[in-house]
Amino acid sequence: MRIPAATYRLQFNPSFGFKDAQRIIPYLAELGITCVYASPIFKARRGSTHGYDVADTNQLNPELGSQGDFDALIETVHGHGMTWLQDFVPNHMAYDSANLMLMDIFEKGRASRYFSFFDIDWEHMRENLRGKVIAPFLGKPYGETLESGELRLECEAGRFAIRYYETLYPLSIKSYGFIIAHQLDKLKERLGAEHPGFVKTLGIAAILNSLSFDLDGGDAEARNAQLVLAQDALSELYRNDAEIRDYIDESVVAFNRDVDLLHELLLQQWFQLTYWRVATKEINYQRFFNINELISLRMEDERVFEFIHRLALRLLREGKINGLRIDHVDGLYNPTEYLARLKREAGDAFIVVEKILELSEHLPRAWRVEGTTGYDFLNWVNGLFVDSRNGERLQKIYERFGGEATPYADLLYEKKKLIIERHLTGDLDNLTSLLKNISATTREAIDLAWEALNGAIAETAAVFPVYRTYIAGGEIEERDRAYIEDAIEKAKARNPLLSRALDFLQSVLTLDYPDYLEEDDKRMWLRFVMRFQQFTSPLMAKGLEDTTFYVYNRLVSLNEVGGDPARFGVTVDEFHSFNQKRLKPHPHAMNATATHDTKRGEDVRARINVLSEIPDEWERVIQEWQAMNRRFKKIVNDEEAPDANREYFLYQTLVGAYPFDEGEREGFAARIKEYIIKSAREAKTHTFWLDNNTEYESALIEFTEAVLASDEFLESFIPFQRMVAHYGVFNSLSQVLLKITSPGLPDFYQGSELWDLNLVDPDNRRAVDYAKREALLGEIREKEESCVKNLIDELLRTKEDGRIKMFTIRRALAARNRDKELFDAGEYIPLKATGKRSENVVAFARRLGERWSVTIAPRLVASVVKMSEHPFGKDVWEETSVEIPAGGPGAWRNDFTGEAIESGQRVYLADALRRFPVALLSGEVKL
């Protein structure tokens, strides 16, 4: 297995393809990157900006370039000694006409070789969905859409489809018989009974009408062949016989003129077109979260696994790619089985999973992967720069301003219930149907009402403490059992009337089978458990990440994927404990600080964290801003717009994201307006994605515009923001050094080698100016060779341009690459700090044999230096030092400054941080 030293995420899209990536590989190598970490590159929906709406996993996306372009890129990557980590989506595909497997099902139904590939309940409890898959893509109710003529029958070369604007839905081949037989008497009159075209048309219709609509699996291949034969025969007839072509075209016109006829044809299809809102209440296929356009796969089926992974595994075997990042592993029916199968097929490939861990959670022991994509690290390292002593103070400031007063746990519960009611009712009903069938087989719960079971599932899911459990039969891990028991206990406290149903639900979720239960019934219990696990994950994601994180705004830098905003800060000891616990099972997990899914760029969080250190100054300015900007608010539905909570959110965002560069400030206002609307819709308090409150949103935009154009506001805001940004720089440098030297692999999101002041997508998917970055790196390289001391002095004077961050990354990665084995396999040794500023530094050593590396990163520096000062030198650190364990080196080299440092049992920060805000020391014990 080739373990990367540093990964760099590239977001491929039609505007940034294989040739564009090839041009920047030398730059990435010069920066110190050893692995390209690529977003999905397989064929996606046309115009996809991210690649997760994949249409064919066995083709490269032609919008990114040709096979030759890809091969040339890979050759360049390997030529620079780099590897390739490929983001792969096993959970879902696009529900789109570009998904030819799904379209094949629409044409052939149970005769399609792909019929069982997608997670569709063909035997749904509701009769109107039985034998069909819902297609919830109409912009208004089905009847209105049909009457308005928006659904049109089309024929292309003898193949029929329903067009809805730009989308084509292929018709069941069997239903062709209904179309071509509609006016056969007229065709007979026109051509005569003996005409070859009439005879062939009559024969095709007869064959199609004779086929059983409800086919059993044993006949699938034979029926497939019959359907294809009939379809090909009709296509040939359509192409070669002008009279038959005219007849079919006339039939199409007749169907489009007759709503009743078209409706009757649509009833014969394997899909049921519906208004998109229907899917929130009635759904019979598994989705990615609540996104109708993404349909899940039955990845637990070995045939599906083999087919979907064919190209990815071939690329691994050929050595073109070296590892896989598995997207949304929690969405799979059986993640543990999937990962075991993938490991068998992928051999020694480097495999990581996108898994959101709560702060106290760890990966299941059975998973044979290198670790996660790094959200766990992100939240632990971010917490280091939050002053935990001021949590209550910030809470009071927030409440006095008019922020959300509901306790965090109650708020999360409310928002998860809201998501169920507005988006996942159909999914909940499907679960309830399964549980009701189970209860009917037991003596204890046979008389439990549907409503009680429905309520028990909803209440338990709404208080579930983690994204999901991983029960798949057999022995249940104690931690999974504890999560279930905790949720049931909390659900009972909130709704005691459901206690009996909740007790029964607990017995099912923990597979506590009654002695009398038959094996078939036990399998039903396990199926419910595994479906429940697929339900709690999207509910947590939507309720927490995409709702609560936009409502609970005490300190929004804590509102990050995998984070817990109720936990205010992380101590140095807690950070060390996390690194130590993670090192043994997953030494090569990824260390992220920004991804394509993070809510804020890493340097936005670093700035906002500063507010936790200066609560008095923060309260003073926000009260001032609230008073001066009240005149810009409007009254919408008898309430101020924006409300105080959204206003508080906006001020933190402005402080965190306001650009250093004057030239970026004009575009900044447009970005903020787009972002503030997205945040309001995500919060789901005054406006929604599904129901836009245009009056409220207009008031929000006008308020934002007015604030950013107000000279009075800017005169107050800019000095405060510059002060925060000054301290944020040092948070950022410490954060990036900790990422590079902690156990795990440092991961860099595209463009974040300079200041990352992006907001959530799509803001963070904007084009990256690589020409600028290449030029800056070239300057750094040249000046390093001339005089590092002079370069550092220059970088400190011009820190706003981001070169100081790029320099830090380049030097730290050079040290890591120089002694890769030390950082891959070395011990992690927390170093104790002593002295006046001991609370303001995190330090640790990595040791492998005689080779050592020491990381020293300041934290909470707003209390250490004034705005015009830098956190280094004896005047700042005085006698503060970190203790070196016995047997450590007596001399060190500072990898940033090149200085030599003599030490005994301790390193003084005044020496280590004499010229630069962070330190990375290298040393070796001389035997």
Side-chain angles (χ1 to χ4, degrees):
M1 181 185 298
R2 293 185 64 182
I3 305 298
T7 59
Y8 189 96
R9 172 74 175 202
L10 291 178
Q11 291 294 115
F12 286 97
N13 59 69
S15 299
F16 184 87
F18 299 141
K19 288 183 178 179
D20 302 295
Q22 185 180 8
R23 283 191 285 269
I24 67 168
I25 296 305
Y27 158 74
L28 295 180
E30 178 69 23
L31 185 63
I33 302 300
T34 68
C35 177
V36 171
Y37 169 23
S39 68
I41 60 171
F42 305 103
K43 185 177 180 182
R45 293 175 70 178
R46 186 174 181 181
S48 174
T49 59
H50 46 75
Y52 289 103
D53 45 0
V54 62
D56 188 344
T57 58
N58 289 315
Q59 282 190 61
L60 295 177
N61 191 343
E63 292 189 284
L64 305 181
S66 67
Q67 179 71 53
D69 295 334
F70 177 70
D71 290 341
L73 167 58
I74 292 298
E75 185 176 350
T76 301
V77 168
H78 292 169
H80 284 79
M82 299 168 70
T83 58
W84 185 284
L85 174 64
Q86 181 57 57
D87 195 344
F88 187 80
V89 185
N91 177 71
H92 59 264
M93 294 181 70
Y95 195 145
D96 186 83
S97 53
N99 184 343
L100 298 184
M101 293 193 299
L102 189 57
M103 297 304 103
D104 193 72
I105 294 172
F106 285 2
E107 288 189 327
K108 301 169 187 171
R110 295 183 190 276
S112 170
R113 60 176 55 92
Y114 310 114
F115 184 75
S116 63
F117 273 41
F118 296 96
D119 200 345
I120 300 167
D121 183 2
W122 297 104
E123 307 300 328
H124 196 265
M125 60 181 174
R126 299 191 189 278
E127 188 174 351
N128 66 306
L129 293 182
R130 208 164 296 145
K132 296 178 180 290
V133 58
I134 189 174
F137 304 114
L138 302 182
K140 56 189 176 185
Y142 168 80
E144 293 180 28
T145 307
L146 190 64
E147 293 282 352
S148 67
E150 294 170 71
L151 298 176
R152 307 288 294 175
L153 176 63
E154 290 190 359
C155 182
E156 178 68 32
R159 302 183 70 161
F160 295 101
I162 288 291
R163 176 176 291 280
Y164 179 64
Y165 293 99
E166 300 303 315
T167 305
L168 284 175
Y169 296 92
L171 296 193
S172 162
I173 298 171
K174 176 176 165 44
S175 72
Y176 288 14
F178 179 67
I179 299 170
I180 63 177
H182 174 60
Q183 301 184 97
L184 270 178
D185 288 344
K186 292 182 180 179
L187 183 63
K188 182 178 179 181
E189 290 177 10
R190 186 188 305 174
L191 301 180
E194 304 302 321
H195 188 280
F198 174 76
V199 173
K200 289 180 181 178
T201 303
L202 182 64
I204 293 169
I207 291 172
L208 291 171
N209 289 329
S210 70
L211 290 175
S212 170
F213 196 79
D214 206 9
L215 306 169
D216 63 55
D219 291 334
E221 285 300 322
R223 299 298 187 181
N224 187 305
Q226 287 178 293
L227 289 167
V228 171
L229 186 65
Q231 186 182 54
D232 290 346
L234 184 62
S235 294
E236 182 180 1
L237 194 59
Y238 185 90
R239 288 193 305 269
N240 298 328
D241 191 319
E243 291 172 311
I244 299 302
R245 182 164 59 249
D246 289 344
Y247 166 71
I248 290 175
D249 290 344
E250 289 168 8
S251 297
V252 168
V253 171
F255 271 79
N256 286 329
R257 284 177 177 168
D258 189 333
V259 170
D260 293 332
L261 200 58
L262 190 58
H263 172 62
E264 189 175 351
L265 175 63
L266 284 167
L267 289 178
Q268 299 178 27
Q269 303 313 311
W270 289 96
F271 58 87
Q272 175 63 62
L273 286 167
T274 64
Y275 186 26
W276 64 268
R277 290 179 184 271
V278 169
T280 65
K281 303 295 183 183
E282 191 173 88
I283 190 79
N284 72 333
Y285 66 91
Q286 192 79 12
R287 298 168 291 178
F288 171 72
F289 292 172
N290 64 332
I291 301 174
N292 296 342
E293 292 82 2
L294 297 176
I295 184 169
S296 294
L297 291 154
R298 293 189 187 275
M299 195 50 64
E300 63 275 15
D301 185 325
E302 191 167 354
R303 293 183 309 120
V304 178
F305 177 94
E306 290 174 355
F307 185 88
I308 295 299
H309 291 77
R310 192 169 58 195
L311 176 56
L313 291 173
R314 178 166 65 80
L315 292 174
L316 282 172
R317 287 192 296 269
E318 292 173 351
K320 290 183 176 179
I321 67 175
N322 310 95
L324 295 174
R325 177 261 197 193
I326 301 304
D327 178 67
H328 188 46
V329 72
D330 276 349
L332 297 170
Y333 185 71
N334 190 340
T336 303
E337 178 187 70
Y338 167 81
L339 291 170
R341 183 174 288 149
L342 180 64
K343 190 64 178 176
R344 287 196 300 271
E345 296 295 328
D348 67 347
F350 179 82
I351 299 173
V352 290
V353 292
E354 184 206 26
K355 163 60 189 165
I356 311 304
L357 295 169
E358 296 299 302
L359 290 176
S360 59
E361 193 182 4
H362 56 79
L363 283 180
R365 292 191 300 269
W367 288 11
R368 297 180 62 196
V369 296
E370 297 310 308
T372 73
T373 53
Y375 285 110
D376 45 355
F377 178 85
L378 182 156
N379 284 288
W380 282 99
V381 76
N382 181 66
L384 277 174
F385 302 97
V386 175
D387 194 334
S388 57
R389 296 168 297 185
N390 291 327
E392 287 301 316
R393 180 85 172 88
L394 264 290
Q395 181 66 33
K396 289 177 181 177
I397 292 171
Y398 179 44
E399 291 176 2
R400 281 197 291 267
F401 189 89
E404 177 61 51
T406 306
Y408 178 76
D410 293 339
L411 182 66
L412 178 56
Y413 166 80
E414 290 175 9
K415 297 308 178 184
K416 290 172 80 173
K417 288 294 290 289
L418 176 69
I419 294 299
I420 292 174
E421 292 162 8
R422 292 187 66 91
H423 300 284
L424 300 176
T425 298
D427 303 86
L428 175 62
D429 286 351
N430 293 342
L431 274 175
T432 306
S433 179
L434 284 174
L435 191 59
K436 182 63 177 173
N437 290 340
I438 289 171
S439 71
T441 67
T442 69
R443 295 191 288 267
E444 297 82 1
I446 193 171
D447 58 348
L448 278 172
W450 169 282
E451 290 76 15
L453 295 172
N454 187 273
I457 297 170
E459 291 294 325
T460 303
V463 295
F464 214 74
V466 291
Y467 280 70
R468 63 167 286 172
T469 51
Y470 299 93
I471 299 166
E475 186 177 350
I476 297 175
E477 281 198 34
E478 280 307 308
R479 68 166 198 165
D480 284 346
R481 187 181 299 276
Y483 292 145
I484 293 167
E485 292 173 352
D486 175 71
I488 295 291
E489 182 180 344
K490 289 177 179 174
K492 285 182 179 178
R494 289 187 180 274
N495 201 329
L497 294 177
L498 291 174
S499 291
R500 182 167 165 243
L502 287 163
D503 285 337
F504 175 64
L505 177 60
Q506 179 172 330
S507 68
V508 175
L509 290 176
T510 56
L511 301 180
D512 186 11
Y513 306 119
D515 294 339
Y516 57 80
L517 214 59
E518 300 291 336
E519 288 304 313
D520 284 348
D521 294 330
K522 289 181 180 180
R523 282 191 284 271
M524 198 188 321
W525 283 45
L526 180 58
R527 177 170 173 76
F528 172 82
V529 170
M530 297 180 78
R531 285 300 192 195
F532 178 83
Q533 292 174 150
Q534 285 183 295
F535 180 72
T536 58
S537 174
L539 177 58
M540 179 70 92
K542 301 304 294 182
L544 177 64
E545 297 173 30
D546 294 342
T547 307
T548 305
F549 279 178
Y550 291 92
V551 177
Y552 184 76
N553 299 323
R554 175 174 61 167
L555 190 70
V556 296
S557 54
L558 295 174
N559 297 10
E560 195 50 82
V561 180
D564 180 1
R567 178 171 184 158
F568 202 83
V570 167
T571 67
V572 172
D573 287 342
E574 287 170 336
F575 178 72
H576 287 320
S577 178
F578 163 75
N579 274 338
Q580 290 172 311
K581 289 177 181 177
R582 189 172 180 243
L583 175 60
K584 186 174 181 180
H586 301 293
H588 306 130
M590 296 173 75
N591 295 344
T593 46
T595 77
H596 60 286
D597 282 330
T598 42
K599 303 301 182 185
R600 291 160 191 84
E602 61 188 54
D603 301 317
V604 176
R605 289 195 307 272
R607 287 176 171 183
I608 295 173
N609 286 338
V610 174
L611 303 180
S612 72
E613 300 182 67
I614 53 171
D616 293 340
E617 293 93 328
W618 173 236
E619 183 169 33
R620 177 185 61 78
V621 295
I622 58 170
Q623 287 177 348
E624 182 180 309
W625 300 342
Q626 187 177 44
M628 70 173 61
N629 293 330
R630 182 163 284 121
R631 67 189 188 275
F632 301 134
K633 293 191 175 188
K634 292 190 174 181
I635 302 298
V636 177
N637 297 328
D638 299 324
E639 294 183 25
E640 282 189 339
D643 64 11
N645 196 38
R646 191 60 29 208
E647 185 180 4
Y648 198 78
F649 177 93
L650 174 62
Y651 292 146
Q652 289 185 73
T653 300
L654 294 178
V655 168
Y658 203 73
F660 280 116
D661 187 348
E662 289 281 353
E664 296 179 12
R665 291 180 184 177
E666 184 175 345
F668 176 72
R671 291 171 51 214
I672 289 294
K673 285 188 289 185
E674 182 178 356
Y675 175 70
I676 205 67
I677 294 301
K678 175 167 182 169
S679 74
R681 291 176 181 174
E682 297 283 28
K684 304 173 185 67
T685 52
H686 295 91
T687 187
F688 306 85
W689 286 109
L690 305 185
D691 294 292
N692 302 160
N693 182 336
T694 55
E695 187 179 3
Y696 178 82
E697 291 184 0
S698 294
L700 196 51
I701 289 173
E702 289 172 18
F703 179 82
T704 304
E705 286 178 335
V707 166
L708 288 173
S710 168
D711 291 338
E712 182 185 16
F713 171 72
L714 293 175
E715 286 174 7
S716 171
F717 169 77
I718 288 178
F720 178 82
Q721 195 278 331
R722 285 177 177 168
M723 181 259 293
V724 170
H726 173 76
Y727 294 122
V729 164
F730 306 120
N731 284 352
S732 294
L733 298 182
S734 289
Q735 177 177 253
V736 78
L737 176 60
L738 293 170
K739 174 170 73 173
I740 292 170
T741 58
S742 289
L745 310 178
D747 173 46
F748 297 86
Y749 184 65
Q750 61 176 27
S752 65
E753 60 270 32
L754 298 181
W755 299 128
D756 177 15
L757 302 180
N758 291 313
L759 299 167
V760 74
D761 70 282
D763 193 66
N764 63 8
R765 295 179 185 176
R766 292 174 296 143
V768 176
D769 186 346
Y770 283 110
K772 172 183 176 180
R773 284 162 172 76
E774 289 181 63
L776 293 179
L777 186 60
E779 288 180 22
I780 289 172
R781 183 180 63 250
E782 290 177 9
K783 293 178 179 180
E784 274 179 331
E785 295 171 358
S786 174
C787 179
V788 170
K789 177 184 177 300
N790 291 343
L791 172 60
I792 288 174
D793 291 342
E794 178 185 333
L795 296 177
L796 289 167
R797 289 194 305 270
T798 60
K799 57 184 180 295
E800 293 79 10
D801 64 17
R803 287 183 302 154
I804 192 170
K805 183 181 182 185
M806 181 180 278
F807 171 81
T808 303
I809 292 169
R810 170 179 161 80
R811 301 285 283 200
L813 286 181
R816 183 180 179 114
N817 290 331
R818 186 174 61 244
D819 201 346
K820 184 175 183 295
E821 189 180 7
L822 167 64
F823 289 97
D824 278 351
E827 296 175 67
Y828 179 90
I829 306 171
L831 299 182
K832 181 181 179 182
T834 58
K836 181 179 178 180
R837 302 296 188 190
S838 60
E839 294 295 316
N840 298 104
V841 64
V842 54
F844 56 82
R846 306 297 305 276
R847 177 177 63 187
L848 185 65
E850 288 76 45
R851 306 195 304 280
W852 288 65
S853 174
V854 167
T855 294
I856 298 175
R859 60 189 287 265
L860 308 179
V861 297
S863 61
V864 175
V865 295
K866 297 176 182 178
M867 180 183 166
S868 58
E869 298 176 341
H870 297 121
F872 49 78
K874 188 169 179 60
D875 290 343
V876 173
W877 296 108
E878 301 182 10
E879 298 304 312
T880 305
S881 64
V882 293
E883 297 180 6
I884 303 299
W892 304 87
R893 179 183 180 276
N894 188 320
D895 287 302
F896 294 117
T897 66
E899 296 170 307
I901 298 175
E902 299 294 328
S903 76
Q905 291 297 106
R906 62 184 63 248
V907 171
Y908 288 93
L909 269 63
D911 295 331
L913 303 175
R914 190 158 69 94
R915 295 185 182 278
F916 200 66
V918 292
L920 180 59
L921 310 181
S922 297
E924 188 170 354
V925 177
K926 304 297 183 182
L927 298 179

CSV table of all heavy atoms in Angstrom, one decimal, residues 528-545:
chain,number,residue,atom,x,y,z
A,528,PHE,N,-35.8,-4.7,9.4
A,528,PHE,CA,-36.2,-3.4,10.0
A,528,PHE,C,-35.1,-2.6,10.6
A,528,PHE,O,-34.9,-1.4,10.5
A,528,PHE,CB,-37.3,-3.6,11.1
A,528,PHE,CG,-37.7,-2.4,11.8
A,528,PHE,CD1,-38.6,-1.5,11.3
A,528,PHE,CD2,-37.1,-2.1,13.1
A,528,PHE,CE1,-38.9,-0.3,12.0
A,528,PHE,CE2,-37.4,-0.9,13.7
A,528,PHE,CZ,-38.3,0.0,13.2
A,529,VAL,N,-34.2,-3.3,11.4
A,529,VAL,CA,-33.1,-2.7,12.1
A,529,VAL,C,-32.2,-2.0,11.0
A,529,VAL,O,-31.8,-0.9,11.2
A,529,VAL,CB,-32.3,-3.7,12.9
A,529,VAL,CG1,-31.0,-3.1,13.4
A,529,VAL,CG2,-33.1,-4.2,14.0
A,530,MET,N,-31.9,-2.7,9.9
A,530,MET,CA,-31.0,-2.1,9.0
A,530,MET,C,-31.6,-1.0,8.2
A,530,MET,O,-30.9,-0.1,7.8
A,530,MET,CB,-30.5,-3.3,8.0
A,530,MET,CG,-29.7,-4.3,8.8
A,530,MET,SD,-29.1,-5.7,7.8
A,530,MET,CE,-27.7,-4.9,7.1
A,531,ARG,N,-32.9,-1.0,8.0
A,531,ARG,CA,-33.6,0.1,7.4
A,531,ARG,C,-33.7,1.3,8.4
A,531,ARG,O,-33.5,2.4,8.0
A,531,ARG,CB,-35.1,-0.3,7.0
A,531,ARG,CG,-35.1,-1.2,5.8
A,531,ARG,CD,-34.5,-0.4,4.6
A,531,ARG,NE,-34.8,-1.1,3.3
A,531,ARG,CZ,-34.2,-0.8,2.2
A,531,ARG,NH1,-33.3,0.1,2.2
A,531,ARG,NH2,-34.5,-1.4,1.1
A,532,PHE,N,-33.9,1.0,9.7
A,532,PHE,CA,-33.9,2.1,10.7
A,532,PHE,C,-32.5,2.8,10.7
A,532,PHE,O,-32.4,4.0,10.8
A,532,PHE,CB,-34.2,1.5,12.0
A,532,PHE,CG,-34.2,2.5,13.2
A,532,PHE,CD1,-35.3,3.3,13.4
A,532,PHE,CD2,-33.0,2.6,14.0
A,532,PHE,CE1,-35.2,4.2,14.5
A,532,PHE,CE2,-33.0,3.6,15.0
A,532,PHE,CZ,-34.1,4.4,15.2
A,533,GLN,N,-31.5,2.0,10.5
A,533,GLN,CA,-30.1,2.6,10.5
A,533,GLN,C,-29.9,3.5,9.3
A,533,GLN,O,-29.2,4.5,9.4
A,533,GLN,CB,-29.1,1.5,10.5
A,533,GLN,CG,-29.1,0.7,11.9
A,533,GLN,CD,-28.1,-0.5,11.9
A,533,GLN,OE1,-27.6,-0.9,12.9
A,533,GLN,NE2,-28.0,-1.2,10.7
A,534,GLN,N,-30.5,3.1,8.2
A,534,GLN,CA,-30.5,4.0,7.0
A,534,GLN,C,-31.3,5.3,7.2
A,534,GLN,O,-31.1,6.2,6.4
A,534,GLN,CB,-30.9,3.2,5.8
A,534,GLN,CG,-29.9,2.2,5.3
A,534,GLN,CD,-30.4,1.6,4.0
A,534,GLN,OE1,-31.3,0.8,4.0
A,534,GLN,NE2,-29.7,1.8,2.9
A,535,PHE,N,-32.2,5.2,8.1
A,535,PHE,CA,-33.1,6.4,8.4
A,535,PHE,C,-32.5,7.4,9.3
A,535,PHE,O,-32.6,8.6,9.1
A,535,PHE,CB,-34.4,5.9,9.0
A,535,PHE,CG,-35.5,7.0,9.2
A,535,PHE,CD1,-36.1,7.6,8.2
A,535,PHE,CD2,-35.7,7.3,10.5
A,535,PHE,CE1,-37.1,8.6,8.5
A,535,PHE,CE2,-36.7,8.3,10.8
A,535,PHE,CZ,-37.4,8.9,9.8
A,536,THR,N,-31.8,7.0,10.3
A,536,THR,CA,-31.3,7.9,11.3
A,536,THR,C,-30.1,8.7,10.8
A,536,THR,O,-29.9,9.9,11.2
A,536,THR,CB,-30.8,7.2,12.6
A,536,THR,OG1,-29.8,6.2,12.2
A,536,THR,CG2,-31.9,6.5,13.3
A,537,SER,N,-29.4,8.2,9.8
A,537,SER,CA,-28.3,8.9,9.2
A,537,SER,C,-28.7,10.2,8.5
A,537,SER,O,-28.2,11.3,8.8
A,537,SER,CB,-27.4,8.0,8.3
A,537,SER,OG,-26.4,8.7,7.7
A,538,PRO,N,-29.6,10.1,7.5
A,538,PRO,CA,-30.0,11.3,6.8
A,538,PRO,C,-30.8,12.2,7.7
A,538,PRO,O,-30.7,13.5,7.5
A,538,PRO,CB,-30.9,10.8,5.6
A,538,PRO,CG,-31.3,9.4,6.0
A,538,PRO,CD,-30.1,8.9,6.8
A,539,LEU,N,-31.5,11.7,8.7
A,539,LEU,CA,-32.2,12.5,9.6
A,539,LEU,C,-31.2,13.4,10.4
A,539,LEU,O,-31.4,14.6,10.6
A,539,LEU,CB,-33.1,11.7,10.5
A,539,LEU,CG,-33.8,12.4,11.6
A,539,LEU,CD1,-34.7,13.5,11.0
A,539,LEU,CD2,-34.6,11.5,12.5
A,540,MET,N,-30.1,12.8,10.9
A,540,MET,CA,-29.1,13.5,11.6
A,540,MET,C,-28.5,14.6,10.7
A,540,MET,O,-28.3,15.7,11.1
A,540,MET,CB,-28.1,12.6,12.2
A,540,MET,CG,-27.0,13.3,13.0
A,540,MET,SD,-27.5,14.0,14.6
A,540,MET,CE,-27.2,12.6,15.6
A,541,ALA,N,-28.2,14.2,9.5
A,541,ALA,CA,-27.5,15.1,8.6
A,541,ALA,C,-28.4,16.3,8.3
A,541,ALA,O,-27.9,17.5,8.4
A,541,ALA,CB,-27.1,14.4,7.3
A,542,LYS,N,-29.6,16.1,8.0
A,542,LYS,CA,-30.5,17.2,7.7
A,542,LYS,C,-31.0,17.9,8.9
A,542,LYS,O,-31.1,19.2,8.8
A,542,LYS,CB,-31.8,16.6,6.9
A,542,LYS,CG,-31.5,15.9,5.6
A,542,LYS,CD,-30.7,16.7,4.6
A,542,LYS,CE,-31.4,17.9,4.1
A,542,LYS,NZ,-30.6,18.7,3.1
A,543,GLY,N,-31.2,17.3,10.0
A,543,GLY,CA,-31.7,18.0,11.2
A,543,GLY,C,-30.6,18.7,11.9
A,543,GLY,O,-30.8,19.8,12.4
A,544,LEU,N,-29.3,18.2,11.9
A,544,LEU,CA,-28.2,18.8,12.6
A,544,LEU,C,-27.5,19.8,11.6
A,544,LEU,O,-27.5,21.0,11.8
A,544,LEU,CB,-27.3,17.8,13.1
A,544,LEU,CG,-26.0,18.3,13.8
A,544,LEU,CD1,-26.4,19.1,15.1
A,544,LEU,CD2,-25.1,17.1,14.2
A,545,GLU,N,-26.8,19.2,10.6
A,545,GLU,CA,-25.9,19.9,9.7
A,545,GLU,C,-26.7,21.0,8.9
A,545,GLU,O,-26.2,22.1,8.8
A,545,GLU,CB,-25.2,19.0,8.8
A,545,GLU,CG,-24.3,18.0,9.4
A,545,GLU,CD,-23.8,17.0,8.3
A,545,GLU,OE1,-23.7,17.4,7.2
A,545,GLU,OE2,-23.6,15.8,8.7
